[in-house]
Amino acid sequence: MDLERALNAFHSMRVKQITPPLAQMPVVEENSAIIDVMKILRTRHHVWVVNNKEDMKLVGVIRYLDVIDILLPPRRARLGTISSLFKSIMGGAEKARDVMERNVLTIEEDATVLEALEKMKKYRVGILALVDCEGRLKGEISLRLLITEFLRLIRMGGEEWRQQHGSSLQSD
């Protein structure tokens, strides 16, 4: 398989084909305690926040670096700025909904890898939430997953591809 064919096949794949099962994803309900969120963030870079585990409607995301605001004492808000005041435990934050970012970058579950890559580039992010037409969380697609899938495609291309194109793209 030549590089161009591999890339074309890769770009046309549906993101839902390569997303991990929902059970493996970091997900909490919006009324989950901040302590439970922090336990997940010890080993993950983000946690998706849903209204509840039955509906799975995506309502926010909490990123690893958001923990800084959670742990810092509250700072006085300046007029016209969004304050981290209420994201602090000392400022009264108790639940995931109190500290989550509500503007989540999403992509439809039927989108292609190319569409995901373009959105990641445009917004300079490494992960997107996969949602259905009703906004329910269906998965996630990360740059790490995309790299893994691309390397898998190249490996499937066989030894002749690697011999033709040098060793720089060989699989791990």
Side-chain angles (χ1 to χ4, degrees), residues 21-64:
L22 217 44
Q24 292 177 11
M25 290 176 35
V27 178
V28 296
E29 294 182 340
E30 63 183 330
N31 63 356
S32 297
I34 287 178
I35 297 300
D36 294 333
V37 171
M38 290 175 68
K39 287 177 183 175
I40 294 170
L41 289 173
R42 283 186 303 187
T43 60
R44 301 298 297 254
H45 290 277
H46 66 282
V47 176
W48 302 115
V49 184
V50 295
N51 62 337
N52 62 60
K53 297 275 180 119
E54 291 77 45
D55 293 344
M56 292 299 284
K57 199 140 188 112
L58 183 65
V59 294
V61 64
I62 303 169
R63 292 179 185 83
Y64 179 70

Side-chain angles (χ1 to χ4, degrees), residues 25-171:
M25 290 176 35
V27 178
V28 296
E29 294 182 340
E30 63 183 330
N31 63 356
S32 297
I34 287 178
I35 297 300
D36 294 333
V37 171
M38 290 175 68
K39 287 177 183 175
I40 294 170
L41 289 173
R42 283 186 303 187
T43 60
R44 301 298 297 254
H45 290 277
H46 66 282
V47 176
W48 302 115
V49 184
V50 295
N51 62 337
N52 62 60
K53 297 275 180 119
E54 291 77 45
D55 293 344
M56 292 299 284
K57 199 140 188 112
L58 183 65
V59 294
V61 64
I62 303 169
R63 292 179 185 83
Y64 179 70
L65 288 176
D66 294 337
V67 174
I68 296 170
D69 284 332
I70 295 169
L71 296 176
L72 277 172
R75 283 178 282 167
R76 193 179 299 276
R78 286 178 289 166
L79 202 56
T81 63
I82 296 173
S83 170
S84 59
L85 171 69
F86 301 110
K87 291 193 174 198
S88 166
I89 292 173
M90 290 174 67
E94 298 176 354
K95 306 284 184 190
R97 75 174 148 267
D98 299 332
V99 298
M100 70 186 186
E101 169 61 48
R102 295 174 192 281
N103 298 321
V104 184
L105 281 172
T106 63
I107 194 160
E108 289 285 322
E109 62 181 335
D110 287 327
T112 64
V113 165
L114 182 60
E115 291 168 317
L117 286 167
E118 287 171 340
K119 193 163 197 173
M120 287 175 175
K121 180 175 175 64
K122 179 177 180 178
Y123 294 101
R124 300 188 55 77
V125 297
I127 194 159
L128 300 168
L130 262 64
V131 294
D132 65 12
C133 58
E134 282 142 33
R136 289 188 300 254
L137 183 64
K138 293 297 186 176
E140 66 184 19
I141 191 72
S142 67
L143 191 52
R144 178 169 285 124
L145 275 171
L146 293 172
I147 291 167
T148 300
E149 184 61 23
F150 182 68
L151 292 174
R152 187 188 70 76
L153 274 177
I154 289 173
R155 245 190 333 269
M156 287 175 46
E159 192 58 40
E160 72 283 352
W161 191 92
R162 281 193 286 285
Q163 287 172 356
Q164 273 183 335
H165 296 86
S167 60
S168 61
L169 289 175
Q170 278 191 14
S171 61

